[in-house]
Amino acid sequence: MTPVPGELGPSAQRLAEIPASDLFTLAGALADLLGAPVTIEAEDTTVLAYSEGQLAVDDARTATILGRRVPPEYQEALRRAGVYRRIARGDDIVYVDLVEAGMKPRAVIGIRAGDELLGSIWAATTGPPTAEQRRALHEAVPVFAQYLLRDRAQRDLANRTRADQAAALLRGGADAEAVAAELGLADAHLTVAAVATVPPPPVRIDRVAGALSLHLAASALTSVAAVVDGILFVVLKADADAAQLMMSDFLSRSPQRGQLIAGIGRGVGDPAELHRSKSDAQSIVRALADRGVSGVAPSIDEAFVDVLTVRMTDVISADGLEAYGPLPALERCDAEHGSELVKTARAYLTHSGDVRSAARALNVHPNTLRNRVRKALTCGVDLDDADTRLALMLQLRAASHGSAEG
């Protein structure tokens, strides 16, 4: 709810009268009112703004300012103390005194708009907040809420425009060339990175996009991003190696690292080819999700086989080829005779046709495995034929990918 000036307390009126051009100005003004350094944090602990005098607080505050986010070890200490829970559930000031965690006292209050938590104010008081400090903090909340809501609306409008530009770039072709010219990307190395989230618990992709945007701004990399079908795609003005370094650094700093998967597409020198880089990155993310791998950002070179598997699976499904080739033949034999030819073939191929190694993997006698290989031949599948092996290996990988998706 937007406060009416006549309803504001003295501290809030002083803040509201400041012609603040950004949140840092408001943070500095509140710090003056409180006589204590202030940080303004988003709900995910990202630092949105801060006042002067932070380096004199403690190591936790210094690390927070330098990293633009509360470091994981301090987040955990605050979580164990129930601080985040109390901020989320109430509108009162929470006094934090965690000396054992290396944190000096703080007075914290959530910034709310109705039932929605927009962020929080952290004031490095020297002890429990005085009555005057408590009043100033309470009165400051609606002013900061108004600013954050207005800023979000402006960013949403700008993001919609940027999202349209990103979508055009990701499509490639003439549209991508036109947008790249508008953004000064026409003669640059460009790479698409993709980021998705995995449960549990779910992480909102729009919040990941916000955190990544801050990270990119700090790294001075030009980027354009859009969320498509639940995946965040970022077009980066960088070659593939630089894009991978940036994404790996972002993942290493993210408190949600274990719930994020990322992929780096091929670098291109022509914006018209960006759809290829997007397809690479998207395939990598799909493959990692199937394998349950998170917290990494492999390149197309590192995930080449995975990319081939994803695309081959799509071709098999789109063309209705599931019933053809050596794998369905073995499956039919297994169904008719109760044999284990598919399992045998997988082990046999995994161990490059080495009978003894494959038999050990299956915990059977080598002669038993040889009999199964001959049985496969009677089903029309020659496991010693190079072309048959290639087709079967591809089908096995595609089948594994498809079952993971399902």
Side-chain angles (χ1 to χ4, degrees), residues 247-268:
M247 286 302 304
S248 297
D249 184 54
F250 169 70
L251 292 175
S252 70
R253 295 171 181 268
S254 174
Q256 289 86 32
R257 177 177 182 173
Q259 297 161 256
L260 300 180
I261 50 180
I264 310 298
R266 73 189 74 178
V268 299

Side-chain angles (χ1 to χ4, degrees), residues 42-351:
E43 188 182 357
D44 65 355
T45 79
T46 299
V47 177
L48 301 175
Y50 52 88
S51 66
E52 295 181 355
Q54 303 293 339
L55 297 181
V57 178
D58 54 30
D59 290 342
R61 179 60 63 85
T62 300
T64 297
I65 296 299
L66 292 177
R68 296 300 297 270
R69 183 187 293 274
V70 179
E73 63 270 26
Y74 296 114
Q75 285 188 44
E76 182 58 29
L78 292 165
R79 189 173 292 109
R80 286 198 305 268
V83 175
Y84 292 129
R85 183 180 65 253
R86 293 170 64 190
I87 295 172
R89 293 182 178 178
D91 56 5
D92 200 3
I93 294 169
V94 177
Y95 177 60
V96 181
D97 188 5
L98 299 176
V99 178
E100 69 282 1
M103 301 175 68
K104 292 181 179 179
R106 285 144 167 77
V108 190
I109 189 168
I111 303 172
R112 316 183 78 87
D115 293 332
E116 182 181 5
L117 181 65
L118 303 175
S120 53
I121 302 170
W122 295 68
T125 55
T126 57
T130 65
E132 185 176 347
Q133 287 174 325
R134 295 181 66 87
R135 183 168 55 251
L137 282 168
H138 277 295
E139 293 179 357
V141 167
V143 179
F144 280 87
Q146 183 181 32
Y147 181 94
L148 292 180
L149 288 172
R150 183 173 63 249
D151 181 65
R152 184 169 67 182
Q154 292 171 347
R155 283 188 287 107
D156 285 346
L157 179 60
N159 286 341
R160 281 196 294 273
T161 301
R162 297 287 277 184
D164 289 340
Q165 292 173 324
L169 289 171
L170 294 169
R171 286 194 298 269
D175 287 346
E177 290 179 329
V179 171
E182 293 175 9
L183 299 176
L185 301 176
D187 298 317
H189 289 289
L190 302 173
T191 303
V192 176
V195 185
T197 62
V198 293
V203 178
R204 285 175 49 179
I205 196 66
D206 59 326
R207 292 184 178 172
V208 177
L212 180 55
S213 177
L214 286 173
H215 185 78
L216 289 169
S219 65
L221 275 182
T222 301
S223 65
V224 188
V227 176
V228 181
D229 297 330
I231 298 178
L232 171 64
F233 292 99
V234 186
V235 180
L236 294 160
K237 185 179 180 181
D239 61 26
D241 289 341
Q244 185 178 28
L245 285 173
M246 184 282 303
M247 286 302 304
S248 297
D249 184 54
F250 169 70
L251 292 175
S252 70
R253 295 171 181 268
S254 174
Q256 289 86 32
R257 177 177 182 173
Q259 297 161 256
L260 300 180
I261 50 180
I264 310 298
R266 73 189 74 178
V268 299
D270 182 352
E273 298 294 311
L274 276 169
H275 65 289
R276 301 186 187 281
S277 186
K278 179 214 173 187
S279 180
D280 297 342
Q282 185 173 16
S283 294
I284 294 170
V285 163
R286 285 176 57 190
L288 292 180
D290 289 345
R291 290 165 47 198
V293 176
S294 62
V296 295
S299 66
I300 179 68
D301 280 329
E302 295 166 334
F304 185 74
V305 174
D306 286 324
V307 171
L308 284 183
T309 300
V310 168
R311 294 183 183 174
M312 180 183 57
T313 303
D314 290 343
V315 169
I316 291 174
S317 177
D319 290 347
L321 295 172
E322 296 92 342
Y324 303 95
L327 180 58
L330 294 179
E331 290 173 336
R332 286 191 292 270
C333 281
D334 282 347
E336 292 173 8
H337 305 292
S339 52
E340 295 185 333
L341 298 184
V342 172
K343 183 178 179 180
T344 298
R346 183 179 287 109
Y348 193 60
L349 296 179
T350 298
H351 293 276

